[in-house]
Amino acid sequence: MSSQIGSAAIVGWVARGIDALQSRRDEINSLNVFPVPDSDTGSNMLATLTAAYDEAQKADASDVRAVTAALAAGAVRGARGNSGTVLSQVFRAVAEAASGSGIGVESVQHSLKLAVQHVSQAIANPVEGTILTVLRHAAIAAEEFKGDSIDELADIIADAARDALAKTPNQLPALQQAGVVDAGGAGLVILLDALADEVSGRATAPVDLHVDAPHTATVEMEVMYLISLSDNQAVEELRERLKPLGNSLIIAGDAGNAGTSQYMVHIHTVEPGAVIEAALDFGRPEGIRIEVLDEPVPTPESTRILIAVVPDGPLKDLITSSGAIAISPTPSERAATADQEFADNVVTKALTAMRGTDEVILLPNGLVSDQELADIEFSAAAANPTLAVVSTDSIAAGLAALAVHSSELPLAVAAYAMGEAANGTRTAAVAADVDKPLNEALTETISDLLADGGELVTLLLGRGAEGVDVADVRARLDKPVEVVAYDAAGIDALVQVGIE
């Protein structure tokens, strides 16, 4: 297993990618239904990749940086269409992350994070369920890799990209209706497969670019009923009608009288409705009995996590002690490096936290933008978990929601109950520039909120509010309520108040 790859392997990777895209260009073109069905994604990616390869042939083959820079320059100048432009940014990221001696694990990890940043910035309105989603999940998988083998990392990246690609129809209705995966994402997966081939020497299985229509699971049932039939010909006709509908068919009659006999019909079928409808052409079935034959298959117990967004500081410990995962919001100031920007992004943190789980309840607590929420929701569809977002517009509302969570309830019901608790929490903030003693200002704020009722007062104490005397505040209030306070250094307000 190698720890890095040099110029020859890098150029070999691109050459493999060209061959793979050439052989599947028409297939990728046929997938092109989003954003417009112009059937050129495969052709555009192939043209861009070829331009990058041609430029790399002119570079000093002994200099990795020169080769990757040439790839980037060729891809940017030769980019065709939206997908080609995105691909050029991937090569730009590879060039920026390359070292003089070769490309190792850290370089690949860094280049994928850079690529996510470049592509997000290059696209005016980034949409999840596209090549961006596939790229993001590959970057997250790479970031989690702790080894030093470039071979193993290439396989992990390719697998993560394949998984994300397979789920793109869950994110874009246009893909689902057409029964295909995203065309640009498919091209990227083929390119990452080519990388895994080049560094490992193994050929990976071709990625499946089409999606089967969903089908409903069937359960075999035992259907029995009585019916009066006039003669043997009617019996045989009913038998012929029922044969294609199941197995274990029995039609047994009594001695009968006046030419009409009653018959017990028995059949095992997955179409009980059709079995009964067939009988209506011969008479009126009576004593209908339908029973499930298959034993129910136990459903594996699902794993559920709760993710709450709170500022760095003591609130994280409070959230963790309640059994949830605490992540911090995206900083308002842009990070100095792409690696740090990728790691700081709340979308990355949320997706990393939910990997390997079945169900996720997210509490944004007013610290996640609408665009970030959309990115998290759509990206989660490319992973495995079912995501429920509880509308918590403040940390106090988030704490109220956490307090009522029950793991015994189904996901939707639990999220609904948490939403009700959050919506029933009234909040206010005391600013740092308050012009009166803090305990007095708090008492006035709480009293105003309690005018509409309430039994529990939660105080989140920011920096500068360490001197709040909870007992004094409680004594000042006209109503007997419970008052609890938590160290919340890191919040914007001096004190955040929540009333339940």
Side-chain angles (χ1 to χ4, degrees):
M1 294 186 180
S2 56
S3 59
Q4 64 178 17
I5 56 175
S7 298
I10 294 168
V11 175
W13 161 44
V14 178
R16 283 178 181 263
I18 290 173
D19 290 342
L21 282 173
Q22 179 71 55
S23 66
R24 305 193 71 175
R25 173 177 55 184
D26 292 341
E27 187 178 2
I28 295 175
N29 284 343
S30 70
L31 304 178
N32 195 184
V33 298
F34 182 89
V36 289
D38 45 13
S39 301
D40 61 358
T41 294
S43 299
N44 288 341
M45 296 187 84
L46 177 60
T48 304
L49 200 59
T50 302
Y53 179 81
D54 290 344
E55 192 67 24
Q57 295 299 305
K58 306 172 186 176
D60 180 358
S62 64
D63 188 338
V64 172
R65 284 180 173 158
V67 169
T68 54
L71 285 171
V76 170
R77 287 197 293 267
R80 297 272 190 89
N82 181 65
S83 57
T85 302
V86 170
L87 193 58
S88 74
Q89 297 307 291
V90 173
F91 281 110
R92 172 189 168 191
V94 171
E96 291 174 352
S99 66
S101 59
I103 292 180
V105 168
E106 290 186 4
S107 297
V108 173
Q109 292 170 326
H110 182 47
S111 67
L112 286 169
K113 288 182 284 190
L114 278 171
V116 171
Q117 180 189 50
H118 292 335
V119 172
S120 298
Q121 293 172 350
I123 300 174
N125 297 300
V127 176
E128 296 294 341
T130 61
I131 188 172
L132 176 59
T133 301
V134 177
L135 184 60
R136 191 195 305 278
H137 281 269
I140 291 174
E143 186 68 9
E144 294 177 345
F145 181 70
K146 303 304 179 186
D148 56 7
S149 167
I150 195 75
D151 306 37
E152 292 179 7
L153 177 58
D155 285 337
I156 286 171
I157 292 170
D159 288 344
R162 282 170 178 254
D163 289 344
L165 177 68
K167 297 179 178 69
T168 54
N170 297 334
Q171 300 164 281
L172 283 177
L175 300 179
Q176 192 170 53
Q177 291 169 8
V180 297
V181 294
D182 178 68
L188 179 62
V189 168
I190 286 173
L191 188 59
L192 293 177
D193 275 352
L195 175 62
D197 287 350
E198 182 65 30
V199 300
S200 67
R202 302 187 307 271
T204 53
V207 62
D208 186 3
L209 304 184
H210 292 77
V211 180
D212 294 331
H215 60 277
T216 305
T218 54
V219 177
E220 193 170 50
M221 298 184 180
E222 180 182 61
V223 179
M224 299 180 69
Y225 54 77
L226 285 169
I227 188 169
S228 296
L229 300 173
S230 58
D231 52 33
N232 288 337
Q233 181 178 347
V235 172
E236 292 306 313
E237 289 179 358
L238 177 59
R239 192 188 309 276
E240 291 304 312
R241 290 279 297 277
L242 294 178
K243 275 183 180 179
L245 299 178
N247 57 77
S248 301
L249 173 62
I250 301 173
I251 303 179
D254 60 12
N257 56 73
T260 300
S261 298
Q262 273 203 320
Y263 290 81
M264 172 60 73
V265 176
H266 170 280
I267 188 172
H268 293 173
T269 180
V270 295
E271 302 178 79
V275 168
I276 295 171
E277 286 178 7
L280 294 175
D281 290 338
F282 297 86
R284 181 175 179 178
E286 300 175 351
I288 298 172
R289 190 177 75 209
I290 302 176
E291 295 181 0
V292 176
L293 285 173
D294 293 346
E295 288 292 327
V297 178
T299 302
E301 186 176 349
S302 61
T303 56
R304 178 188 301 171
I305 63 169
L306 283 73
I307 302 175
V309 184
V310 294
D312 286 322
L315 277 174
K316 279 195 167 184
D317 295 333
L318 177 62
I319 295 298
T320 303
S321 68
S322 69
I325 297 173
I327 62 174
S328 54
T330 303
S332 55
E333 294 184 4
R334 189 169 179 178
T337 65
D339 283 16
Q340 194 60 46
E341 182 172 344
F342 181 84
D344 284 347
N345 192 290
V346 72
V347 178
T348 301
K349 296 171 187 173
L351 294 178
T352 301
M354 65 178 68
R355 283 173 67 85
T357 61
D358 300 314
E359 299 176 350
V360 178
I361 295 178
L362 175 65
L363 309 176
N365 298 336
L367 298 172
V368 184
S369 71
D370 290 345
Q371 183 59 56
E372 288 171 332
L373 280 176
D375 289 346
I376 292 171
E377 183 171 0
F378 283 123
S379 295
N384 290 317
T386 301
L387 172 66
V389 179
V390 179
S391 180
T392 53
D393 58 6
S394 66
I395 298 171
L399 292 175
L402 276 176
V404 301
H405 172 256
S406 172
S407 59
E408 302 299 319
L409 294 175
L411 177 66
V413 179
Y416 177 81
M418 295 173 74
E420 288 287 287
N423 292 335
T425 302
R426 302 185 304 284
T427 61
V430 176
D433 58 354
V434 61
D435 58 358
K436 60 184 66 177
L438 183 52
N439 281 5
E440 182 181 341
L442 270 177
T443 303
E444 291 180 3
T445 301
I446 296 169
S447 297
D448 290 342
L449 290 173
L450 287 174
D452 293 324
E455 299 175 348
L456 173 64
V457 178
T458 300
L459 303 179
L460 300 178
L461 308 179
R463 290 187 178 90
E466 295 84 358
V468 169
D469 186 336
V470 174
D472 179 62
V473 171
R474 185 186 297 112
R476 290 170 176 263
L477 297 173
D478 296 332
K479 296 182 179 181
V481 293
E482 182 180 357
V483 181
V484 295
Y486 300 105
D487 184 356
I491 63 174
D492 292 336
L494 182 61
V495 181
Q496 186 178 118
V497 181
I499 304 290
E500 301 174 51

